[in-house]
Amino acid sequence: MCSYKKALRRLFFHLGSMDSNSIGKSETLVRLAQSLRLLKPNQHDHISNNQAPELVPQEININTAAVLICLFEGENGDLRVILTRRSSTMSSHSGEVALPGGKRDACDLKNVDTALREAKEEIGLEPSIVEVVAVLEPFHTKKKISVFPVIGILWDKNAFKPAPNADEVESIFDAPLEMFLKDENRRGEEREWMGHKYLLHFFDHQWENESYVIWALTAGILINTASIVYQKQPAFEERRPIFWNGRRSDDHQDGVLA
């Protein structure tokens, strides 16, 4: 039996039967949503300089952004995540793979609002068909942005009618979440920042005859998310940059699919 199915069996044993709200929904996604809701809520919706994490220089004026980790069940029963390739005409990170998301606007009351709004603007994903179940600790970039990963469940993949914003998105695709814990189709490059050496991870992915490379912050966020969901370390050395300061996968005592 594959590790994924073993994990699901253990999860079903610990969480018991589904409630009435789960009728007609994927058992895998119901269990996933139930477990992710148990994660400690993120406490950083409003960040000020005196709340900056220890490894981020205190003089940084932190701006905030949010990305949507939209998970759904694939045809083979695996968990998959929606990703985009940014337009080649974008002024920054053109042509790179990203999660739907962007900077927080004044109209956004919470990071969840930012992630859902940006997903609708970028790929046409209606907020009404996504259930947000968790907001993870932020990752910090060299450009002084705190990026909050927002995890949402897409109960019915067929309800999503992709409508990429041509000004921002070149293509929309998906990938298996567990891929980001495996050493297959992955390579690492050593970099250095302020005397600290770290690894950037690059994942090669094929989808509908197209080749994609998922790397840098996007890969880091997905490695962390997969570690939380499956409660296991990646099959490779992670060695994060200290400026990210996202919660390490080995800080999580309670996994989701474990």
Side-chain angles (χ1 to χ4, degrees):
M1 182 180 293
C2 69
S3 61
Y4 178 79
K5 290 183 178 179
K6 288 181 179 178
L8 282 180
R9 285 184 60 185
R10 291 196 295 270
L11 180 64
F12 296 162
F13 175 81
H14 287 299
L15 293 180
S17 62
M18 297 182 292
D19 59 33
S20 59
N21 292 328
S22 68
I23 295 175
K25 295 180 179 179
S26 156
E27 291 185 2
T28 299
L29 294 181
V30 168
R31 306 299 179 180
L32 174 66
Q34 288 175 338
S35 297
L36 286 173
R37 292 190 196 103
L38 299 177
L39 293 177
K40 183 178 179 181
N42 184 278
Q43 302 297 320
H44 300 278
D45 262 357
H46 303 284
I47 293 184
S48 61
N49 284 343
N50 62 0
Q51 294 174 309
E54 180 181 351
L55 293 178
V56 176
Q58 293 297 304
E59 67 273 12
I60 288 180
N61 180 20
I62 298 178
N63 295 311
T64 61
V67 294
L68 181 64
I69 303 170
C70 188
L71 301 176
F72 67 94
E73 185 177 36
E75 293 181 359
N76 297 324
D78 57 339
L79 291 176
R80 303 186 71 86
V81 59
I82 296 174
L83 292 155
T84 72
R85 175 180 279 162
R86 290 167 60 87
S87 170
S88 58
T89 61
M90 295 288 286
S91 60
S92 63
H93 304 288
S94 61
E96 293 184 6
V97 168
L99 290 157
K103 283 191 175 183
R104 187 164 166 176
D105 280 354
C107 64
D108 299 327
L109 298 179
K110 299 181 295 184
N111 296 305
V112 168
D113 299 328
T114 301
L116 293 176
R117 175 182 55 76
E118 288 283 346
K120 181 176 181 179
E121 292 176 2
E122 291 181 6
I123 64 175
L125 181 63
E126 291 292 336
S128 61
I129 66 173
V130 179
E131 180 178 354
V132 172
V133 291
V135 179
L136 305 183
E137 293 292 325
F139 282 66
H140 305 277
T141 74
K142 291 179 181 178
K143 293 185 178 180
K144 310 174 185 179
I145 305 295
S146 288
V147 182
F148 290 82
V150 175
I151 302 180
I153 303 295
L154 178 60
W155 295 104
D156 180 5
K157 177 60 165 61
N158 294 325
F160 173 39
K161 308 301 181 184
N165 181 336
D167 292 333
E168 299 184 47
V169 174
E170 181 179 296
S171 61
I172 303 169
F173 67 101
D174 56 74
L177 182 64
E178 197 172 18
M179 177 181 87
F180 299 98
L181 295 178
K182 299 179 179 180
D183 203 18
E184 302 167 8
N185 303 314
R186 183 207 66 89
R187 64 186 187 280
E189 291 184 6
E190 189 173 77
R191 304 289 176 88
E192 184 173 337
W193 184 75
M194 295 179 65
H196 174 76
K197 293 182 179 181
Y198 61 94
L199 289 175
L200 279 185
H201 299 282
F202 299 75
F203 294 87
D204 296 311
H205 180 56
Q206 291 288 131
W207 190 85
E208 294 189 350
N209 299 318
E210 289 288 333
S211 297
Y212 296 91
V213 179
I214 306 159
W215 68 293
L217 184 64
T218 299
I221 289 173
L222 291 173
I223 291 170
N224 188 61
T225 302
S227 297
I228 294 170
V229 169
Y230 294 100
Q231 197 192 8
K232 62 181 179 181
Q233 297 291 319
F236 48 84
E237 180 185 10
E238 191 173 1
R239 210 194 322 163
R240 296 180 175 185
I242 60 171
F243 54 82
W244 280 4
N245 199 34
R247 181 174 294 174
R248 292 182 55 84
S249 58
D250 53 9
D251 287 339
H252 297 281
Q253 300 300 316
D254 299 312
V256 174
L257 294 183

PDB file of all heavy atoms in Angstrom, residues 196-219:
ATOM      1  N   HIS A 196      25.093  33.721   5.464  1.00  0.00           N
ATOM      2  CA  HIS A 196      24.358  32.490   5.732  1.00  0.00           C
ATOM      3  C   HIS A 196      24.104  31.755   4.420  1.00  0.00           C
ATOM      4  O   HIS A 196      23.511  32.303   3.493  1.00  0.00           O
ATOM      5  CB  HIS A 196      23.021  32.798   6.408  1.00  0.00           C
ATOM      6  CG  HIS A 196      22.143  31.595   6.597  1.00  0.00           C
ATOM      7  ND1 HIS A 196      22.368  30.660   7.581  1.00  0.00           N
ATOM      8  CD2 HIS A 196      21.054  31.173   5.907  1.00  0.00           C
ATOM      9  CE1 HIS A 196      21.447  29.719   7.499  1.00  0.00           C
ATOM     10  NE2 HIS A 196      20.636  30.003   6.489  1.00  0.00           N
ATOM     11  N   LYS A 197      24.556  30.501   4.342  1.00  0.00           N
ATOM     12  CA  LYS A 197      24.357  29.700   3.140  1.00  0.00           C
ATOM     13  C   LYS A 197      23.047  28.918   3.254  1.00  0.00           C
ATOM     14  O   LYS A 197      22.721  28.365   4.295  1.00  0.00           O
ATOM     15  CB  LYS A 197      25.528  28.746   2.939  1.00  0.00           C
ATOM     16  CG  LYS A 197      26.843  29.463   2.618  1.00  0.00           C
ATOM     17  CD  LYS A 197      27.965  28.480   2.372  1.00  0.00           C
ATOM     18  CE  LYS A 197      29.254  29.216   2.023  1.00  0.00           C
ATOM     19  NZ  LYS A 197      30.378  28.277   1.762  1.00  0.00           N
ATOM     20  N   TYR A 198      22.318  28.901   2.153  1.00  0.00           N
ATOM     21  CA  TYR A 198      21.049  28.198   2.135  1.00  0.00           C
ATOM     22  C   TYR A 198      20.854  27.552   0.763  1.00  0.00           C
ATOM     23  O   TYR A 198      21.646  27.755  -0.154  1.00  0.00           O
ATOM     24  CB  TYR A 198      19.891  29.159   2.445  1.00  0.00           C
ATOM     25  CG  TYR A 198      19.724  30.294   1.456  1.00  0.00           C
ATOM     26  CD1 TYR A 198      18.849  30.183   0.376  1.00  0.00           C
ATOM     27  CD2 TYR A 198      20.437  31.489   1.596  1.00  0.00           C
ATOM     28  CE1 TYR A 198      18.679  31.213  -0.528  1.00  0.00           C
ATOM     29  CE2 TYR A 198      20.272  32.531   0.698  1.00  0.00           C
ATOM     30  CZ  TYR A 198      19.394  32.390  -0.358  1.00  0.00           C
ATOM     31  OH  TYR A 198      19.235  33.421  -1.250  1.00  0.00           O
ATOM     32  N   LEU A 199      19.787  26.763   0.642  1.00  0.00           N
ATOM     33  CA  LEU A 199      19.504  26.075  -0.613  1.00  0.00           C
ATOM     34  C   LEU A 199      18.205  26.586  -1.225  1.00  0.00           C
ATOM     35  O   LEU A 199      17.194  26.748  -0.531  1.00  0.00           O
ATOM     36  CB  LEU A 199      19.371  24.560  -0.387  1.00  0.00           C
ATOM     37  CG  LEU A 199      20.646  23.782  -0.068  1.00  0.00           C
ATOM     38  CD1 LEU A 199      20.302  22.327   0.246  1.00  0.00           C
ATOM     39  CD2 LEU A 199      21.625  23.843  -1.234  1.00  0.00           C
ATOM     40  N   LEU A 200      18.244  26.850  -2.523  1.00  0.00           N
ATOM     41  CA  LEU A 200      17.026  27.081  -3.288  1.00  0.00           C
ATOM     42  C   LEU A 200      16.681  25.769  -3.995  1.00  0.00           C
ATOM     43  O   LEU A 200      17.545  25.140  -4.606  1.00  0.00           O
ATOM     44  CB  LEU A 200      17.225  28.183  -4.327  1.00  0.00           C
ATOM     45  CG  LEU A 200      17.140  29.631  -3.848  1.00  0.00           C
ATOM     46  CD1 LEU A 200      17.249  30.568  -5.038  1.00  0.00           C
ATOM     47  CD2 LEU A 200      15.845  29.896  -3.089  1.00  0.00           C
ATOM     48  N   HIS A 201      15.425  25.373  -3.911  1.00  0.00           N
ATOM     49  CA  HIS A 201      15.004  24.105  -4.513  1.00  0.00           C
ATOM     50  C   HIS A 201      14.225  24.362  -5.797  1.00  0.00           C
ATOM     51  O   HIS A 201      13.402  25.276  -5.876  1.00  0.00           O
ATOM     52  CB  HIS A 201      14.150  23.317  -3.516  1.00  0.00           C
ATOM     53  CG  HIS A 201      14.879  22.978  -2.255  1.00  0.00           C
ATOM     54  ND1 HIS A 201      15.795  21.951  -2.185  1.00  0.00           N
ATOM     55  CD2 HIS A 201      14.873  23.564  -1.031  1.00  0.00           C
ATOM     56  CE1 HIS A 201      16.300  21.889  -0.963  1.00  0.00           C
ATOM     57  NE2 HIS A 201      15.759  22.869  -0.247  1.00  0.00           N
ATOM     58  N   PHE A 202      14.491  23.525  -6.785  1.00  0.00           N
ATOM     59  CA  PHE A 202      13.854  23.619  -8.095  1.00  0.00           C
ATOM     60  C   PHE A 202      13.180  22.279  -8.394  1.00  0.00           C
ATOM     61  O   PHE A 202      13.838  21.240  -8.395  1.00  0.00           O
ATOM     62  CB  PHE A 202      14.888  23.915  -9.186  1.00  0.00           C
ATOM     63  CG  PHE A 202      15.628  25.213  -9.020  1.00  0.00           C
ATOM     64  CD1 PHE A 202      16.622  25.348  -8.061  1.00  0.00           C
ATOM     65  CD2 PHE A 202      15.341  26.298  -9.837  1.00  0.00           C
ATOM     66  CE1 PHE A 202      17.319  26.545  -7.907  1.00  0.00           C
ATOM     67  CE2 PHE A 202      16.030  27.500  -9.699  1.00  0.00           C
ATOM     68  CZ  PHE A 202      17.015  27.620  -8.738  1.00  0.00           C
ATOM     69  N   PHE A 203      11.876  22.304  -8.646  1.00  0.00           N
ATOM     70  CA  PHE A 203      11.132  21.093  -8.981  1.00  0.00           C
ATOM     71  C   PHE A 203      10.678  21.174 -10.438  1.00  0.00           C
ATOM     72  O   PHE A 203      10.001  22.136 -10.832  1.00  0.00           O
ATOM     73  CB  PHE A 203       9.904  20.946  -8.076  1.00  0.00           C
ATOM     74  CG  PHE A 203      10.234  20.706  -6.631  1.00  0.00           C
ATOM     75  CD1 PHE A 203      10.462  21.776  -5.773  1.00  0.00           C
ATOM     76  CD2 PHE A 203      10.318  19.413  -6.130  1.00  0.00           C
ATOM     77  CE1 PHE A 203      10.759  21.567  -4.433  1.00  0.00           C
ATOM     78  CE2 PHE A 203      10.614  19.192  -4.790  1.00  0.00           C
ATOM     79  CZ  PHE A 203      10.839  20.271  -3.951  1.00  0.00           C
ATOM     80  N   ASP A 204      11.056  20.175 -11.222  1.00  0.00           N
ATOM     81  CA  ASP A 204      10.623  20.101 -12.615  1.00  0.00           C
ATOM     82  C   ASP A 204       9.300  19.339 -12.683  1.00  0.00           C
ATOM     83  O   ASP A 204       9.159  18.258 -12.104  1.00  0.00           O
ATOM     84  CB  ASP A 204      11.674  19.389 -13.463  1.00  0.00           C
ATOM     85  CG  ASP A 204      12.984  20.163 -13.506  1.00  0.00           C
ATOM     86  OD1 ASP A 204      12.942  21.378 -13.765  1.00  0.00           O
ATOM     87  OD2 ASP A 204      14.046  19.556 -13.260  1.00  0.00           O
ATOM     88  N   HIS A 205       8.345  19.915 -13.391  1.00  0.00           N
ATOM     89  CA  HIS A 205       7.004  19.322 -13.439  1.00  0.00           C
ATOM     90  C   HIS A 205       6.438  19.378 -14.851  1.00  0.00           C
ATOM     91  O   HIS A 205       6.537  20.402 -15.529  1.00  0.00           O
ATOM     92  CB  HIS A 205       6.083  20.083 -12.481  1.00  0.00           C
ATOM     93  CG  HIS A 205       4.681  19.564 -12.436  1.00  0.00           C
ATOM     94  ND1 HIS A 205       4.366  18.250 -12.142  1.00  0.00           N
ATOM     95  CD2 HIS A 205       3.489  20.195 -12.640  1.00  0.00           C
ATOM     96  CE1 HIS A 205       3.056  18.093 -12.172  1.00  0.00           C
ATOM     97  NE2 HIS A 205       2.496  19.246 -12.470  1.00  0.00           N
ATOM     98  N   GLN A 206       5.853  18.266 -15.289  1.00  0.00           N
ATOM     99  CA  GLN A 206       5.204  18.186 -16.598  1.00  0.00           C
ATOM    100  C   GLN A 206       3.701  18.186 -16.403  1.00  0.00           C
ATOM    101  O   GLN A 206       3.173  17.443 -15.568  1.00  0.00           O
ATOM    102  CB  GLN A 206       5.618  16.899 -17.317  1.00  0.00           C
ATOM    103  CG  GLN A 206       7.072  16.857 -17.765  1.00  0.00           C
ATOM    104  CD  GLN A 206       7.335  17.793 -18.939  1.00  0.00           C
ATOM    105  OE1 GLN A 206       8.275  18.573 -18.913  1.00  0.00           O
ATOM    106  NE2 GLN A 206       6.514  17.692 -19.972  1.00  0.00           N
ATOM    107  N   TRP A 207       3.014  19.008 -17.167  1.00  0.00           N
ATOM    108  CA  TRP A 207       1.554  19.072 -17.095  1.00  0.00           C
ATOM    109  C   TRP A 207       1.011  19.411 -18.470  1.00  0.00           C
ATOM    110  O   TRP A 207       1.324  20.459 -19.042  1.00  0.00           O
ATOM    111  CB  TRP A 207       1.127  20.128 -16.070  1.00  0.00           C
ATOM    112  CG  TRP A 207      -0.331  20.124 -15.733  1.00  0.00           C
ATOM    113  CD1 TRP A 207      -0.963  19.337 -14.803  1.00  0.00           C
ATOM    114  CD2 TRP A 207      -1.349  20.959 -16.295  1.00  0.00           C
ATOM    115  NE1 TRP A 207      -2.309  19.632 -14.772  1.00  0.00           N
ATOM    116  CE2 TRP A 207      -2.580  20.631 -15.663  1.00  0.00           C
ATOM    117  CE3 TRP A 207      -1.342  21.956 -17.272  1.00  0.00           C
ATOM    118  CZ2 TRP A 207      -3.772  21.268 -15.994  1.00  0.00           C
ATOM    119  CZ3 TRP A 207      -2.534  22.587 -17.597  1.00  0.00           C
ATOM    120  CH2 TRP A 207      -3.728  22.232 -16.950  1.00  0.00           C
ATOM    121  N   GLU A 208       0.227  18.479 -19.009  1.00  0.00           N
ATOM    122  CA  GLU A 208      -0.378  18.655 -20.335  1.00  0.00           C
ATOM    123  C   GLU A 208       0.649  19.108 -21.382  1.00  0.00           C
ATOM    124  O   GLU A 208       0.482  20.115 -22.066  1.00  0.00           O
ATOM    125  CB  GLU A 208      -1.550  19.635 -20.258  1.00  0.00           C
ATOM    126  CG  GLU A 208      -2.716  19.115 -19.444  1.00  0.00           C
ATOM    127  CD  GLU A 208      -3.951  19.988 -19.547  1.00  0.00           C
ATOM    128  OE1 GLU A 208      -3.847  21.113 -20.098  1.00  0.00           O
ATOM    129  OE2 GLU A 208      -5.014  19.560 -19.070  1.00  0.00           O
ATOM    130  N   ASN A 209       1.742  18.356 -21.467  1.00  0.00           N
ATOM    131  CA  ASN A 209       2.801  18.566 -22.461  1.00  0.00           C
ATOM    132  C   ASN A 209       3.573  19.874 -22.282  1.00  0.00           C
ATOM    133  O   ASN A 209       4.310  20.297 -23.168  1.00  0.00           O
ATOM    134  CB  ASN A 209       2.232  18.512 -23.889  1.00  0.00           C
ATOM    135  CG  ASN A 209       1.598  17.170 -24.202  1.00  0.00           C
ATOM    136  OD1 ASN A 209       2.142  16.128 -23.844  1.00  0.00           O
ATOM    137  ND2 ASN A 209       0.441  17.200 -24.857  1.00  0.00           N
ATOM    138  N   GLU A 210       3.386  20.521 -21.137  1.00  0.00           N
ATOM    139  CA  GLU A 210       4.141  21.728 -20.834  1.00  0.00           C
ATOM    140  C   GLU A 210       5.098  21.447 -19.682  1.00  0.00           C
ATOM    141  O   GLU A 210       4.796  20.654 -18.786  1.00  0.00           O
ATOM    142  CB  GLU A 210       3.206  22.880 -20.450  1.00  0.00           C
ATOM    143  CG  GLU A 210       2.393  23.438 -21.601  1.00  0.00           C
ATOM    144  CD  GLU A 210       3.237  24.238 -22.585  1.00  0.00           C
ATOM    145  OE1 GLU A 210       4.274  24.791 -22.160  1.00  0.00           O
ATOM    146  OE2 GLU A 210       2.874  24.297 -23.771  1.00  0.00           O
ATOM    147  N   SER A 211       6.253  22.098 -19.707  1.00  0.00           N
ATOM    148  CA  SER A 211       7.247  21.934 -18.647  1.00  0.00           C
ATOM    149  C   SER A 211       7.249  23.172 -17.749  1.00  0.00           C
ATOM    150  O   SER A 211       7.246  24.307 -18.236  1.00  0.00           O
ATOM    151  CB  SER A 211       8.642  21.744 -19.253  1.00  0.00           C
ATOM    152  OG  SER A 211       8.699  20.562 -20.023  1.00  0.00           O
ATOM    153  N   TYR A 212       7.254  22.925 -16.441  1.00  0.00           N
ATOM    154  CA  TYR A 212       7.259  24.009 -15.469  1.00  0.00           C
ATOM    155  C   TYR A 212       8.370  23.777 -14.453  1.00  0.00           C
ATOM    156  O   TYR A 212       8.670  22.626 -14.106  1.00  0.00           O
ATOM    157  CB  TYR A 212       5.924  24.088 -14.740  1.00  0.00           C
ATOM    158  CG  TYR A 212       4.750  24.432 -15.626  1.00  0.00           C
ATOM    159  CD1 TYR A 212       4.000  23.417 -16.234  1.00  0.00           C
ATOM    160  CD2 TYR A 212       4.384  25.747 -15.851  1.00  0.00           C
ATOM    161  CE1 TYR A 212       2.921  23.725 -17.052  1.00  0.00           C
ATOM    162  CE2 TYR A 212       3.298  26.064 -16.669  1.00  0.00           C
ATOM    163  CZ  TYR A 212       2.576  25.051 -17.263  1.00  0.00           C
ATOM    164  OH  TYR A 212       1.510  25.360 -18.078  1.00  0.00           O
ATOM    165  N   VAL A 213       8.957  24.858 -13.969  1.00  0.00           N
ATOM    166  CA  VAL A 213       9.940  24.778 -12.900  1.00  0.00           C
ATOM    167  C   VAL A 213       9.393  25.570 -11.715  1.00  0.00           C
ATOM    168  O   VAL A 213       9.149  26.777 -11.808  1.00  0.00           O
ATOM    169  CB  VAL A 213      11.308  25.344 -13.325  1.00  0.00           C
ATOM    170  CG1 VAL A 213      12.297  25.256 -12.153  1.00  0.00           C
ATOM    171  CG2 VAL A 213      11.848  24.604 -14.537  1.00  0.00           C
ATOM    172  N   ILE A 214       9.194  24.873 -10.596  1.00  0.00           N
ATOM    173  CA  ILE A 214       8.657  25.487  -9.382  1.00  0.00           C
ATOM    174  C   ILE A 214       9.821  25.662  -8.425  1.00  0.00           C
ATOM    175  O   ILE A 214      10.461  24.686  -8.029  1.00  0.00           O
ATOM    176  CB  ILE A 214       7.567  24.592  -8.765  1.00  0.00           C
ATOM    177  CG1 ILE A 214       6.507  24.276  -9.818  1.00  0.00           C
ATOM    178  CG2 ILE A 214       6.945  25.258  -7.544  1.00  0.00           C
ATOM    179  CD1 ILE A 214       5.685  23.043  -9.526  1.00  0.00           C
ATOM    180  N   TRP A 215      10.115  26.903  -8.034  1.00  0.00           N
ATOM    181  CA  TRP A 215      11.332  27.122  -7.270  1.00  0.00           C
ATOM    182  C   TRP A 215      11.178  28.299  -6.307  1.00  0.00           C
ATOM    183  O   TRP A 215      10.125  28.918  -6.202  1.00  0.00           O
ATOM    184  CB  TRP A 215      12.524  27.348  -8.221  1.00  0.00           C
ATOM    185  CG  TRP A 215      12.484  28.626  -9.012  1.00  0.00           C
ATOM    186  CD1 TRP A 215      11.592  28.955  -9.986  1.00  0.00           C
ATOM    187  CD2 TRP A 215      13.367  29.741  -8.882  1.00  0.00           C
ATOM    188  NE1 TRP A 215      11.879  30.202 -10.491  1.00  0.00           N
ATOM    189  CE2 TRP A 215      12.965  30.714  -9.829  1.00  0.00           C
ATOM    190  CE3 TRP A 215      14.466  30.014  -8.067  1.00  0.00           C
ATOM    191  CZ2 TRP A 215      13.619  31.931  -9.976  1.00  0.00           C
ATOM    192  CZ3 TRP A 215      15.126  31.229  -8.213  1.00  0.00           C
ATOM    193  CH2 TRP A 215      14.706  32.165  -9.159  1.00  0.00           C
ATOM    194  N   ALA A 216      12.275  28.567  -5.589  1.00  0.00           N
ATOM    195  CA  ALA A 216      12.395  29.717  -4.689  1.00  0.00           C
ATOM    196  C   ALA A 216      11.278  29.727  -3.645  1.00  0.00           C
ATOM    197  O   ALA A 216      10.970  28.703  -3.050  1.00  0.00           O
ATOM    198  CB  ALA A 216      12.453  31.012  -5.490  1.00  0.00           C
ATOM    199  N   LEU A 217      10.678  30.899  -3.413  1.00  0.00           N
ATOM    200  CA  LEU A 217       9.701  31.036  -2.332  1.00  0.00           C
ATOM    201  C   LEU A 217       8.488  30.135  -2.538  1.00  0.00           C
ATOM    202  O   LEU A 217       7.977  29.538  -1.584  1.00  0.00           O
ATOM    203  CB  LEU A 217       9.249  32.494  -2.213  1.00  0.00           C
ATOM    204  CG  LEU A 217       8.297  32.807  -1.058  1.00  0.00           C
ATOM    205  CD1 LEU A 217       8.984  32.570   0.285  1.00  0.00           C
ATOM    206  CD2 LEU A 217       7.796  34.243  -1.151  1.00  0.00           C
ATOM    207  N   THR A 218       8.015  30.027  -3.769  1.00  0.00           N
ATOM    208  CA  THR A 218       6.860  29.168  -4.047  1.00  0.00           C
ATOM    209  C   THR A 218       7.154  27.729  -3.657  1.00  0.00           C
ATOM    210  O   THR A 218       6.342  27.067  -2.999  1.00  0.00           O
ATOM    211  CB  THR A 218       6.461  29.252  -5.529  1.00  0.00           C
ATOM    212  OG1 THR A 218       6.088  30.599  -5.841  1.00  0.00           O
ATOM    213  CG2 THR A 218       5.299  28.321  -5.838  1.00  0.00           C
ATOM    214  N   ALA A 219       8.327  27.234  -4.029  1.00  0.00           N
ATOM    215  CA  ALA A 219       8.708  25.874  -3.648  1.00  0.00           C
ATOM    216  C   ALA A 219       8.825  25.754  -2.134  1.00  0.00           C
ATOM    217  O   ALA A 219       8.394  24.760  -1.545  1.00  0.00           O
ATOM    218  CB  ALA A 219      10.022  25.488  -4.321  1.00  0.00           C
TER     219      ALA A 219
END
